[in-house]
């Protein structure tokens, strides 16, 4: 016997498990091409330019690619830099052989330093993005908390949170149902996971289930209403964003518990 969950899984639009942003794909291409072009440009100066200085120039290229792209792009750039340093800038030229032990050491150090620097640069970029994202999430929570304290009606908070959830989760639509529990739609849980019936649904790997998803609002332990979320066509927001959504629903529940909704 098929279940609603099976139907959702069959008819849910299939999306690739891993999609590479255009920026990261371009960065990988740059990681391949930039060290090659740099080493080629240095060919006329290889008799006067020390191998150490040439290696440092290539490290700068690796840093630039890593800072602008992904970790993978940095690794590709480091490997490319070591290969083209060997090919263009060490004897015998235009081969991947190295005769001098000092040149071998320089090539190995270039690869190792390039890999380390690429990891550090990629980590710094990721931490910067996380910091900006965290600040945006905190701003949403603070705005809502201020509104809960100042609003004369909980309906004002409800309308505000509907707008915040739509933007935060990339929803197509969002509505609020006061005190009703009709049907058993998929539910966004307090830990950011989703349940469909009695089954746990992993939105990070399976995407959103089809149809509306409920996000319940509780006040002082009592169920007071629920947001009905209609997912948009984009990717599922990360766990951090879903946890912020749960926090916003809790703030709505607190407002409803304190003042109650206006009559509609």
């Amino acid at each position: 016997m098929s279940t609603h969950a099976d139907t959702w899984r069959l008819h849910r639009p299939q999306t690739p498990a891993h999609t590479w942003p255009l920026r990261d794909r371009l960065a990988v291409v740059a990681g391949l091409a930039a060290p090659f072009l740099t080493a080629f440009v240095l060919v006329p100066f290889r008799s006067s330019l020390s191998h150490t200085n040439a290696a440092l120039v290539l490290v700068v290229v690796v840093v630039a690619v890593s800072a602008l792209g992904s970790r993978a792009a940095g690794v590709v750039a480091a490997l490319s830099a070591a290969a083209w340093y060997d090919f263009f800038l060490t004897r015998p030229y235009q081969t991947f052989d190295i005769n001098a032990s000092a040149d071998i050491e320089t090539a190995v150090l270039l690869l190792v330093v390039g890999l380390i620097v690429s990891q550090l640069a990629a980590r710094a970029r990721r931490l910067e993005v996380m910091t900006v994202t965290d600040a945006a999430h905190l701003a949403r929570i603070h705005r809502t908390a201020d509104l809960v304290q100042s609003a004369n009606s909980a309906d004002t908070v409800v309308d505000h949170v509907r707008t915040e959830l739509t933007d935060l989760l990339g929803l197509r639509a969002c509505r609020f149902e006061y005190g009703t529990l009709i049907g058993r739609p998929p539910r966004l849980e307090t830990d950011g996971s989703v349940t469909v019936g009695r089954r746990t649904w992993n939105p990070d790997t399976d995407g959103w289930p089809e149809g509306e998803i409920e996000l319940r609002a509780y006040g002082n332990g009592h169920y007071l209403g629920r947001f009905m979320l209609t997912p948009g066509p984009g990717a599922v927001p990360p766990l951090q964003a879903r946890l912020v959504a749960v926090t916003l629903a809790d703030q709505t529940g607190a407002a409803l518990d304190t003042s109650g909704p206006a009559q509609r």
Side-chain angles (χ1 to χ4, degrees):
M1 180 181 294
S2 63
T3 64
H4 290 298
D6 295 329
T7 302
W8 284 324
R9 189 179 294 275
L10 287 172
H11 296 285
R12 170 174 60 86
Q14 298 296 316
T15 57
H18 300 285
T19 57
W20 241 6
L22 177 61
R23 172 176 174 171
D24 288 344
R25 283 180 282 168
L26 292 176
V28 170
V29 173
L32 287 170
F36 167 80
L37 294 174
T38 302
F40 183 77
V41 169
L42 292 176
V43 167
F45 310 100
R46 62 190 175 191
S47 59
S48 58
L49 184 67
S50 71
H51 290 172
T52 301
N53 289 338
L56 288 174
V57 172
L58 289 170
V59 167
V60 171
V61 175
V62 174
V63 172
V65 171
S66 301
L68 297 175
S70 62
R71 186 190 303 270
V75 172
V76 169
L79 294 171
S80 179
W84 296 119
Y85 168 81
D86 176 9
F87 189 83
F88 285 117
L89 303 175
T90 65
R91 288 189 172 88
Y93 298 128
Q94 279 73 59
T95 72
F96 289 106
D97 297 327
I98 303 179
N99 291 337
S101 59
D103 290 340
I104 294 176
E105 292 176 1
T106 302
V108 172
L109 286 174
L110 170 60
L111 176 59
V112 172
V113 171
L115 290 173
I116 293 174
V117 168
S118 70
Q119 301 304 303
L120 292 175
R123 179 176 175 80
R125 178 188 168 205
R126 186 173 66 253
L127 289 174
E128 180 182 1
V129 171
M130 288 177 61
T131 300
V132 172
T133 303
D134 288 344
H137 289 339
L138 286 173
R140 292 183 192 277
I141 295 172
H142 288 162
R143 284 196 301 267
T144 305
D146 291 340
L147 189 61
V148 170
Q149 296 296 322
S150 61
N152 294 324
S153 169
D155 287 348
T156 303
V157 178
V158 168
D159 291 338
H160 167 79
V161 172
R162 285 178 53 250
T163 301
E164 292 285 359
L165 291 175
T166 300
D167 181 59
L168 174 66
L169 301 178
L171 303 177
R172 181 181 292 113
C174 179
R175 60 189 178 85
F176 190 79
E177 293 182 350
Y178 289 92
T180 58
L181 275 175
I182 301 174
R184 297 186 62 186
R187 183 191 311 164
L188 179 58
E189 303 288 358
T190 56
D191 62 355
S193 65
V194 175
T195 56
V196 178
R198 295 184 178 181
R199 299 175 56 184
T200 299
W201 181 286
N202 187 347
D204 295 314
T205 57
D206 299 333
W208 289 122
E210 188 174 312
E212 289 185 313
I213 301 165
E214 69 173 8
L215 173 57
R216 296 184 178 181
Y218 292 89
N220 200 23
H222 302 290
Y223 170 76
L224 297 172
R226 61 184 178 179
F227 292 95
M228 302 301 295
L229 318 174
T230 303
V236 174
L239 175 61
Q240 187 181 44
R242 302 198 300 270
L243 292 175
V244 173
V246 172
T247 301
L248 296 176
D250 288 341
Q251 291 176 308
T252 304
L256 289 169
D257 184 60
T258 301
S259 61
Q263 296 297 321
R264 295 196 169 191

